Amino acid sequence: MKAKRLLAGLALAGAVALAATGCSGSGSGGAGSTDGASGDVITVGFAQTGSESGWRSANTESMKEAFSAENGFDLVFNAADNKPEAQIAAVRNFINQGVDAIVLAPIVSDGWDDVLKEAKDAGIPVILEDRTVSAPDDLYESWVGLDFEKEGETAGKWVADNYGKQPTNLVVLEGTTGSSAATDRATGFNSAIEGSQIKVLDSQTGNFTRADGKTVMEGFLQKYGSEINVLFAQNDDMGLGALDAIKAAGLTPGQDIKIVTIDAVKDGMTALADGEFNYIVECNPLLGDQVAQVVKDVLAGKTVDKQYIVEDQAFDQEQAKAVLDSRPY
Ligand code: GZL
């Protein structure tokens, strides 16, 4: 059983509070300083997925802020344009450069065993952030991420509680095929609607992007039209793209078609506050401080947990209105 540590919810200041279970990084090398003992700059290769969504932009910003020069880091950044083979090549380049540590936000779960083994053989620790991989967990030091299955379950429970007691037709915009975020959200969502009168008419990937979310929703509307009662978009951006398609079809989002999404980025929360979305489950992108702490602890030879899972919350329209102006992303 992997040791895992739940981190307290996101403080509005955007800092990730650590749970009282002692994950305090109390030794030298807190994320806000150099690594204590040696004071040497830590060179970190960060293999990011790309820039597919508002969530990704917020995550990249959080990581760059945490892995700054004043925090004792030299960050080598790569964004793989959502191409798994390019991301594997980026990790291999980091190994060849001899970085001190590698941070990876894996686009997809599979295909990582070989290059992670190469990193291990080169003595370069790998820390996963955001999504995770299917490779054996002895090939990476730790995963700082989110409970995607719980996010999907929370979204599904809201749909089942509100619309599951009468025949309801639903379509799904899935995230990137093969990503742990998409796979686990689907697992959680489907388990939550099981036994209800929710009927899934169709489910296709929109690759977590607005453009593809719009295109796939246009197809759904052409095929099913006003039969569609509810849209579950696995991230805000696909839901935002779907808004354009729904309006172009002469339908009113949030009324004719209820919309539930995951992320809670600013544009999504604005759509929720404006009544175009109906419910959003948060997925906290501000992981940088925790990841930087784990990197420093690993390089200082300290024991770290295999998982650090950041807790999420959820919002309806009234809650979105109340917090919109104070949200850090
Ligand atoms: C979730 C993250 C997903 C977001 C999308 O942690 O991997 O990828 O939900 C992003 O917005 O593109």
Side-chain angles (χ1 to χ4, degrees), residues 52-53 55-56 130-131 146 148 181 185 208 235 263 283:
E52 74 280 0
S53 63
W55 189 98
R56 191 61 53 193
D130 178 22
R131 303 173 192 171
L146 304 113
F148 302 125
R185 285 172 181 169
F208 283 135
N235 82 329
D263 274 352
C283 176

Side-chain angles (χ1 to χ4, degrees), residues 29-273:
S33 65
T34 58
D35 67 353
S38 68
D40 294 341
V41 171
I42 298 173
T43 301
V44 172
F46 175 34
Q48 181 59 293
T49 60
S51 54
E52 74 280 0
S53 63
W55 189 98
R56 191 61 53 193
S57 302
N59 179 249
T60 294
E61 185 178 346
S62 170
M63 293 291 287
K64 287 183 173 178
E65 283 175 5
F67 286 90
S68 62
E70 54 267 28
N71 285 345
F73 293 100
D74 173 16
L75 184 70
V76 185
F77 177 76
N78 177 279
D81 193 22
N82 254 14
K83 296 182 175 71
E85 65 282 358
Q87 194 174 40
I88 290 172
V91 172
R92 197 159 270 135
N93 285 338
F94 292 150
I95 296 168
N96 295 335
Q97 291 173 43
V99 299
D100 297 313
I102 293 170
V103 176
L104 168 64
I107 298 166
V108 294
S109 305
D110 297 341
W112 288 102
D113 298 49
D114 291 346
V115 75
L116 293 181
K117 178 87 171 59
E118 291 166 31
K120 184 168 187 172
D121 292 346
I124 300 175
V126 175
I127 291 85
L128 305 179
E129 74 102 16
D130 178 22
R131 303 173 192 171
T132 189
V133 298
S134 58
D137 69 6
D138 65 329
L139 294 180
Y140 56 89
E141 300 301 316
S142 186
W143 166 46
V144 179
L146 304 113
D147 189 339
F148 302 125
E149 187 167 334
K150 185 176 178 186
E151 292 169 354
E153 188 181 334
T154 303
K157 184 177 185 309
W158 180 84
V159 173
D161 289 350
N162 288 277
Y163 306 104
K165 299 175 182 62
Q166 69 272 357
T168 300
N169 294 326
L170 172 124
V171 291
V172 181
L173 292 171
E174 302 166 4
T176 301
T177 303
S179 67
S180 60
T183 303
D184 293 351
R185 285 172 181 169
T187 300
F189 185 88
N190 292 335
S191 70
I193 66 170
E194 200 169 336
S196 75
Q197 295 190 55
I198 305 294
K199 180 184 177 186
V200 179
L201 293 178
D202 214 327
S203 185
Q204 288 179 38
T205 185
N207 295 305
F208 283 135
T209 68
R210 292 195 190 201
D212 289 1
K214 177 182 179 184
T215 301
V216 174
M217 190 65 195
E218 285 167 346
F220 286 160
L221 287 163
Q222 282 164 9
K223 192 170 180 182
Y224 306 105
S226 56
E227 274 183 66
I228 300 170
N229 307 121
V230 180
L231 163 64
F232 169 43
Q234 288 189 352
N235 82 329
D236 290 356
D237 280 62
M238 293 188 292
L240 292 164
L243 289 182
D244 295 340
I246 292 167
K247 293 173 186 173
L251 298 171
T252 305
Q255 296 178 33
D256 298 326
I257 297 181
K258 309 296 185 189
I259 301 176
V260 54
T261 69
I262 298 176
D263 274 352
V265 295
K266 187 69 80 177
D267 288 350
M269 291 292 276
T270 300
L272 181 60

Side-chain angles (χ1 to χ4, degrees), residues 265-290:
V265 295
K266 187 69 80 177
D267 288 350
M269 291 292 276
T270 300
L272 181 60
D274 292 347
E276 294 190 318
F277 283 177
N278 299 87
Y279 193 67
I280 299 184
V281 179
E282 182 186 46
C283 176
N284 179 356
L286 306 183
L287 306 177
D289 285 345
Q290 178 60 59

